[in-house]
Amino acid sequence: METVERAGRRVGAAGLLLLCLATAGAGLATSGCRVNEDDIHRWETTAHGPDKLRAVLFHDKYDSSLRVEAATSLIRMKPRQGRRVGIGIMVETLATMAPEARQSIVAALVPSIIAELRKPPPVAQPGQPLQQDTSFPYKDTAYAMLTSDRTVIIADEGLKEGLKAALIDWAMADFEHRLEDRSQAYGMEQLLRFIGPAAVSGLPKLMTREAKRLDQLASLVAEYGDPPTKEAASANLVAIARFVTSSEWTTVKKPELQAANAASKLDPTEKQFEAQLAQYQEEELFRVFGSMKKLGGRPSVDFLLGFAANKDQPEKRRQAALAALEGRLDRNNPSDIQRILEIATADAPDAVLDQAFRRVGEMPRELVVEKLYGLFKTDKWKIRRAAAATILKMSTVKHIDEFMSRLPDSKDSKGFAMPEALTYGAALGDLKEGSPVEALKKHFAAGPAAARTSAIAYYFTFGTAADLPAVKPLEGDTTRVPVCEADPDCKWACEVQKEGSTERELRDVKTVGEFVQYCIEPAMQDRKPELEKGEKK
């Protein structure tokens, strides 16, 4: 790394060269070697201008005002080969100065940077192109000065905090445009990350129904915001969602959609237009739900739970609301647990119930398992299956006996469906922290039919031809399987091959033995055991 002394000699040499150019150029020819502001401004556009400006900035032979002007010229200098080289030169030169000299320049330079940052952003005028935003070089300079890892460029805390405040105001003044601008050396996220929570405290105010970058705003608040900022942003998302689902949204958006159709030379029927409008509204709502999922917050959680519980809302929207709650329910809030369980046990479409049970599964086992076991008494087998599958996802091998004991006994097993047994068998085989099959063996030939068939169904998913001897003794089990007539899907029946034919037929299953013969063994016969390590195919 170049030492301050060597850098000084290098910059000093450039300065001496300037002072000795007595006959080079009309400006210097008429005034000896004296440098003025006209020279400073002219050098912004010349090939060796950056080196000359560096020399003026570095040397105390020049007036302070001229040195500050040289620094400002380096900042506003137009890009060269796509890069604003002047900013790097200016910060590097300040870093090589002695602390006292540097702070003298910085004390005059920072207020001028702040003044530029606080200028109103350009506003589009009808029929005219948008004027260039000239503030970006000053923002990049401020960031570079504040984050220099070579030395402390701005030692004065008042100046430093004033510059940070100006950067925050700059970002909020025209956030969406300044977020997207690709000419800046340092992106908006770098700036916000450096400043911290204070930098995003103003973002909730920008989260309105007109915001085009709602998702990105939510992401920034989620990552950098403090709790009050996140809560305010969450509340604003709820306000937007309420607008999107209101009649006001339809009033506002209907003319916009009609104009878009006209521009595209589309002439939909009234029914087609209503479908267009509904799809447009749904897309807008899902966009808000996506932002809620990223941000969370009590206002959003309460809104999504209420929306998902509303039977008047379409299935797809309720499902989306529950999906947006992923990881956002409060494990320590009994109300959250109660409300999600109420949705899971309600009379709702399967897709809604599936998402509800997914959210229940994110809760601590000890807080929800008894409530889930309580659902085993329902006469709706699909709800019981969803509850049981949720329990098994949060269980280990040590919980197998507990689970089996909660399945319907012989007198209450009416309505227990064959898809339940197959689902439980697969889930039981996936349990960790022990050997599932060893724990299940005692349930093969003992206990109610619901428990026995669920245990045997382990082999439907995991059994191989090599395991057939383990189930052969069960072929003669005459224990009656449960009866389920709620719907065709719950029936106890399996496809088997007709005798003397290649065709297959659906055969009713009446006993545990028939369940083994018609359903379990055929699934095992064509499945080969996994090869042991080192064994050849």
Side-chain angles (χ1 to χ4, degrees):
M1 182 181 291
E2 185 178 39
T3 66
V4 172
E5 182 179 358
R6 289 177 61 191
R9 286 201 299 269
R10 176 169 56 78
V11 176
L16 289 173
L17 176 62
L18 283 174
L19 293 174
C20 293
L21 293 177
T23 60
L28 293 182
T30 59
S31 59
C33 292
R34 182 174 299 172
V35 175
N36 57 35
E37 285 195 10
D38 290 340
D39 297 319
I40 297 295
H41 298 161
R42 179 166 50 82
W43 290 336
E44 290 181 29
T45 61
T46 62
H48 297 290
D51 289 331
K52 296 176 182 179
L53 292 170
R54 182 206 304 264
V56 174
L57 173 59
F58 183 83
H59 270 285
D60 57 8
K61 298 177 182 180
Y62 301 98
D63 291 340
S64 293
S65 60
L66 199 62
R67 298 171 73 183
V68 172
E69 191 62 30
T72 305
S73 287
L74 286 167
I75 295 171
R76 66 180 174 231
M77 184 184 296
K78 290 184 178 180
R80 301 193 176 198
Q81 296 182 337
R83 294 176 56 245
R84 289 192 176 275
V85 296
I87 294 174
I89 291 172
M90 192 275 289
V91 174
E92 176 191 356
T93 304
L94 287 175
T96 62
M97 291 181 180
E100 290 184 5
R102 177 171 57 247
Q103 295 315 311
S104 175
I105 300 296
V106 166
L109 180 61
V110 168
S112 66
I113 294 175
I114 291 176
E116 292 293 334
L117 291 173
R118 293 196 182 281
K119 286 182 178 179
V123 178
Q125 299 296 330
Q128 298 181 14
L130 184 66
Q131 292 183 347
Q132 183 180 2
D133 188 341
T134 59
S135 64
F136 286 104
Y138 295 93
K139 184 273 293 183
D140 286 339
T141 299
Y143 181 85
M145 292 172 72
L146 288 168
T147 60
S148 172
D149 57 2
R150 186 167 180 177
T151 189
V152 177
I153 301 294
I154 307 174
D156 184 279
E157 287 299 321
L159 286 175
K160 189 181 295 184
E161 293 306 312
L163 191 55
K164 287 182 179 180
L167 285 169
I168 294 172
D169 292 343
W170 175 87
M172 297 302 109
D174 193 15
F175 184 84
E176 290 188 350
H177 287 110
R178 287 172 172 173
L179 178 69
E180 296 174 353
D181 193 281
R182 297 184 179 276
S183 70
Q184 50 194 325
Y186 306 101
M188 184 75 80
E189 289 199 33
Q190 284 179 281
L191 176 65
L192 300 180
R193 186 183 301 113
F194 167 70
I195 296 176
V200 298
S201 61
L203 291 186
K205 294 180 181 178
L206 305 181
M207 299 171 74
T208 66
R209 61 179 70 173
E210 291 83 18
K212 296 179 181 179
R213 293 283 184 173
L214 193 62
D215 186 65
Q216 201 157 3
L217 289 169
S219 295
L220 291 169
V221 173
E223 187 169 356
Y224 307 118
D226 57 19
T229 301
K230 291 178 180 179
E231 203 74 355
S234 182
N236 284 359
L237 288 176
V238 170
I240 297 170
R242 293 192 189 283
F243 164 68
V244 173
T245 55
S246 70
S247 58
E248 183 186 358
W249 182 92
T250 304
T251 302
V252 172
K253 299 297 181 180
K254 191 173 182 178
E256 293 181 9
L257 184 57
Q258 289 171 333
N261 282 335
S264 301
K265 297 181 179 180
L266 297 175
D267 187 22
T269 64
E270 184 177 348
K271 187 175 181 180
Q272 289 172 332
F273 181 79
E274 291 301 320
Q276 273 187 317
L277 194 62
Q279 182 178 354
Y280 182 16
Q281 184 181 43
E282 194 164 84
E283 289 172 355
E284 288 277 291
L285 183 62
F286 289 174
R287 182 171 70 100
V288 182
F289 283 176
S291 297
M292 287 179 167
K293 183 176 181 179
K294 287 186 175 182
L295 182 60
R298 179 46 48 188
S300 289
V301 169
D302 285 338
F303 174 83
L304 290 168
L305 282 169
F307 191 95
N310 186 351
K311 295 181 179 180
D312 294 332
Q313 292 294 341
E315 172 186 340
K316 189 176 179 182
R317 297 184 183 186
R318 295 175 68 188
Q319 182 185 7
L322 288 166
L325 283 167
E326 182 179 2
R328 294 302 180 185
L329 295 176
D330 186 352
R331 295 181 167 205
N332 299 313
N333 188 332
S335 176
D336 280 7
I337 296 173
Q338 182 61 34
R339 292 175 73 182
I340 195 64
L341 282 169
E342 287 174 356
I343 296 171
T345 58
D347 184 12
D350 289 348
V352 174
L353 295 179
D354 177 67
Q355 284 293 337
F357 277 109
R358 286 174 185 267
R359 301 293 79 80
V360 173
E362 294 168 3
M363 298 292 101
R365 188 180 193 277
E366 63 274 13
L367 295 182
V368 298
V369 68
E370 285 303 321
K371 292 182 175 65
L372 290 172
Y373 276 134
L375 298 178
F376 281 20
K377 298 177 182 179
T378 181
D379 57 357
K380 299 174 182 177
W381 69 270
K382 290 183 179 180
I383 289 181
R384 180 172 54 239
R385 180 175 64 175
T390 303
I391 290 172
L392 290 173
K393 285 178 182 177
M394 56 179 66
S395 299
T396 62
V397 168
K398 70 179 181 182
H399 296 115
I400 286 180
D401 289 347
E402 171 194 281
F403 178 82
M404 291 298 188
S405 70
R406 300 300 187 99
L407 291 174
D409 58 24
S410 298
K411 63 179 181 178
D412 294 326
S413 65
K414 185 177 180 180
F416 186 84
M418 192 178 84
E420 285 188 80
L422 298 178
T423 298
Y424 304 158
L428 288 163
D430 279 331
L431 296 183
K432 308 299 182 184
E433 300 181 20
S435 171
V437 68
E438 289 299 320
L440 289 169
K441 281 181 178 179
K442 62 183 176 183
H443 298 285
F444 291 161
R452 293 169 72 176
T453 52
S454 297
I456 295 168
Y458 162 88
Y459 286 109
F460 183 84
T461 300
F462 299 100
T464 68
D467 298 314
L468 285 170
V471 298
K472 280 290 182 184
L474 302 173
E475 291 180 356
D477 193 326
T478 58
T479 303
R480 304 291 292 184
V481 297
V483 176
C484 186
E485 299 174 345
D487 56 65
D489 293 336
C490 79
K491 189 176 181 181
W492 286 78
C494 285
E495 277 194 354
V496 297
Q497 189 171 327
K498 290 182 179 181
E499 292 185 14
S501 172
T502 57
E503 296 181 3
R504 300 179 67 81
E505 64 179 353
L506 189 66
R507 186 173 299 181
D508 289 343
V509 171
K510 298 179 180 179
T511 67
V512 172
E514 289 178 347
F515 179 60
V516 171
Q517 293 178 65
Y518 302 160
C519 307
I520 303 300
E521 290 180 343
M524 299 169 67
Q525 285 168 351
D526 296 330
R527 192 180 297 130
K528 295 181 179 180
E530 291 186 10
L531 297 176
E532 297 292 333
K533 289 184 179 180
E535 187 178 350
K536 295 182 180 179
K537 292 183 178 181

